[in-house]
Amino acid sequence: MQTLFPQVTINPFNADSFNEAVMSTYARFPLALERGAGCRVWDTDGREYLDFVAGIATCTLGHAHPAMVEAVTRQIQKLHHVSNLYYIPEQGELAKWIVDHSCADRVFFCNSGAEANEGAIKLARKYAHTVLDIEQPIILTASGSFHGRTLATITATAQPKYQKYFDPLVPGFDYVAYNDIRALEAAISELDEGDYGVAAILLEPLQGEGGVRPGDVEYFQRVREICDETGILLIFDEVQVGMGRSGKLWGYENLGVEPDIFTSAKGLGGGIPIGALMSKKFCDVFKPGEHASTFGGNPFVCGVALSVCQTLEKENILQNVQDRGEQLRNGLRAIASKYPDLITEVRGWGLINGMELAADIELTAPDIVKAAIDNGLLLVPAGPKVVRFVPPLIVTEAEVKMALQALDKAIATVATE
Ligand SMILES: *Cc1c(COP(=O)(O)O)cnc(C)c1O
């Protein structure tokens, strides 16, 4: 694949001066990436890597895809930002595409996954006050979940490691075990007391950061029934698993249930920052002035995201996600079978897959990721014991094969240490 622009070289890269100027919120791998094409990226020393991270399940069409290059160029030349004070045609077209391709009736655009989830939380609270007549609404979320890094979304994220030192947290959240219907039923009846009541249940159809844990079909179908019986809103966080990553356009299609509200971000813009909040039925809960975003839905991001959506459809990429996903899982299982003491499970949907390491050994997911980098393959952990595979959705059969070979070599080096 050809890029339109000359290669920019920031070599030699100086990590010390980087760290002097940038807050140390990330433990970074010692690698500075400067260009990409398709599923390949190159570092500042010119080394090539196969990218099975894709900006963490974000670069749907890989790097420098001609459709994105064309859309970015066209949109920046035409109009890139105005304000939601006015009608934005690209925003309307993207919303229409999402509505035509999901259970949603209407869309609100913002800039990130956390911000989309914030919108969902606000919508659920207003719905609870104005429709369910609950004075102290509670939103239930699942242990092991991940919903973002703002104050409300770290509170929604039922993992203490994301909350430590940031208290007081936001009130109005409670947690239940994932895929456990008894725990959910118990929590709902326990919380229905005085002014309190459950307003919404917020779940990932497949938990991404929590270790690539797919939702259980029976569990999700029963959750849907409970919500239908009680009026509790069912909210799905599709930020990581949505936009084709699971082999279906939306993660919920793997579970046979539709949410009342769902959120998207990561893969939606193929790597340009966009978030979206989708609602079915409960679309006019927000009135003008009650929720907003300066950048949300601007002509630039919507024009580019629309081209990503149309390319996904036109090039039948969902079929590739299913085929390459199966190839990848088969290959991972073949590797796992060589190391039964190290690798306990391979699981996932489409092109979001996890390889779990045994709990009783010292080897961690970051150890495997480091060894993979040394073998030219970029991977990302999902928690301390799960290695995650989330390549661009355009990954080819040959690239999956290459990645499996690199991983096999990488594991051989750490397994003998
Ligand atoms: C990444 C992620 C988020 C947060 O998205 P940001 O764009 O980083 O705010 C929320 N939910 C899920 C499931 C995610 O994977």
Side-chain angles (χ1 to χ4, degrees):
M1 195 174 302
Q2 251 193 320
T3 46
L4 285 179
F5 303 103
Q7 296 158 14
V8 192
T9 299
I10 51 169
N11 208 13
F13 179 77
N14 185 335
D16 290 337
S17 77
F18 181 97
N19 288 327
E20 270 170 30
V22 178
M23 279 198 203
S24 53
T25 56
Y26 291 92
R28 294 173 201 271
F29 294 102
L31 202 63
L33 299 173
E34 67 167 0
R35 70 190 167 92
C39 296
R40 316 291 171 101
V41 288
W42 285 265
D43 71 10
T44 47
D45 297 327
R47 265 198 81 184
E48 181 181 317
Y49 299 86
L50 202 45
D51 183 8
F52 270 51
V53 177
I56 310 191
T58 294
C59 302
T60 305
L61 302 180
H63 304 281
H65 191 286
M68 283 192 80
V69 172
E70 188 279 325
V72 166
T73 310
R74 166 171 40 84
Q75 209 55 56
I76 201 76
Q77 287 174 341
K78 194 172 152 201
L79 188 67
H80 71 290
H81 181 78
V82 280
S83 162
N84 285 300
L85 290 168
Y86 316 106
Y87 286 96
I88 297 170
E90 292 83 359
Q91 185 182 132
E93 278 186 65
L94 178 61
K96 174 126 181 37
W97 191 92
I98 295 172
V99 166
D100 286 347
H101 292 80
S102 73
C103 64
D105 292 328
R106 279 192 215 167
V107 186
F108 168 83
F109 290 106
C110 52
N111 310 287
S112 69
E115 197 187 351
N117 288 335
E118 287 271 346
I121 292 163
K122 282 177 69 176
L123 196 158
R125 284 185 172 188
K126 186 175 176 195
Y127 178 78
H129 289 303
T130 56
V131 180
L132 299 178
D133 207 19
I134 299 173
E135 256 182 61
Q136 301 283 347
I138 307 284
I139 296 174
L140 285 178
T141 69
S143 48
S145 59
F146 183 81
H147 299 296
R149 300 294 197 136
T150 62
L151 272 176
T153 57
I154 59 166
T155 309
T157 295
Q159 296 197 62
K161 70 174 178 186
Y162 294 107
Q163 301 172 340
K164 198 179 168 196
Y165 300 131
F166 300 122
D167 51 312
L169 296 175
V170 175
F173 290 90
D174 214 325
Y175 314 122
V176 289
Y178 189 58
N179 281 340
D180 182 342
I181 201 69
R182 290 249 168 80
L184 183 76
E185 285 170 342
I188 292 170
S189 61
E190 209 173 285
L191 292 166
D192 185 13
E193 167 111 33
D195 291 342
Y196 290 87
V198 174
I201 301 167
L202 167 59
L203 295 169
E204 291 159 87
L206 170 152
Q207 291 189 330
E209 300 302 310
V212 191
R213 294 178 204 286
D216 176 66
V217 172
E218 262 174 59
Y219 170 78
F220 270 83
Q221 295 192 341
R222 183 67 194 125
V223 175
R224 180 68 269 177
E225 281 170 17
I226 291 170
C227 290
D228 289 338
E229 288 158 12
T230 56
I232 292 172
L233 289 179
L234 182 54
I235 307 174
F236 285 171
D237 180 339
E238 292 260 1
V239 169
Q240 187 155 165
V241 76
M243 261 310 274
R245 178 128 316 259
S246 72
K248 312 259 188 211
L249 190 57
W250 305 106
Y252 65 74
E253 295 172 50
N254 297 276
L255 298 168
V257 293
E258 290 181 349
D260 299 308
I261 294 169
F262 66 104
T263 55
S264 176
K266 288 192 168 83
L268 179 58
I272 50 115
I274 184 169
L277 165 65
M278 274 63 69
S279 184
K280 184 182 168 183
K281 291 191 295 197
F282 312 100
C283 298
D284 47 10
V285 172
F286 288 140
K287 300 294 179 222
E290 288 182 340
H291 196 52
S293 168
T294 296
F295 291 125
N298 82 13
F300 181 75
V301 294
C302 289
V304 178
L306 183 64
S307 81
V308 173
C309 293
Q310 289 169 339
T311 304
L312 202 69
E313 191 173 15
K314 200 171 66 202
E315 298 185 2
N316 196 19
I317 289 173
L318 290 186
Q319 186 62 52
N320 189 57
V321 178
Q322 291 167 21
D323 296 345
R324 299 289 73 79
E326 204 176 308
Q327 181 194 354
L328 180 61
R329 276 185 302 281
N330 288 341
L332 291 175
R333 288 190 178 121
I335 293 174
S337 68
K338 295 203 285 181
Y339 302 102
D341 297 338
L342 298 188
I343 303 165
T344 55
E345 196 183 16
V346 170
R347 58 175 177 257
W349 292 341
L351 285 173
I352 179 160
N353 293 288
M355 188 179 83
E356 180 145 27
L357 305 176
D360 59 353
I361 56 168
E362 264 181 43
L363 190 69
T364 64
D367 295 334
I368 302 260
V369 170
K370 280 180 203 139
I373 290 176
D374 291 340
N375 283 278
L377 173 65
L378 302 186
L379 298 174
V380 58
K385 284 288 183 179
V386 178
V387 183
R388 180 171 22 169
F389 303 80
V390 280
L393 304 189
I394 55 159
V395 70
T396 64
E397 187 174 356
E399 285 165 338
V400 169
K401 206 171 151 194
M402 269 184 69
L404 288 164
Q405 284 166 351
L407 178 72
D408 200 17
K409 274 198 207 156
I411 296 181
T413 61
V414 292
T416 53
E417 266 169 18

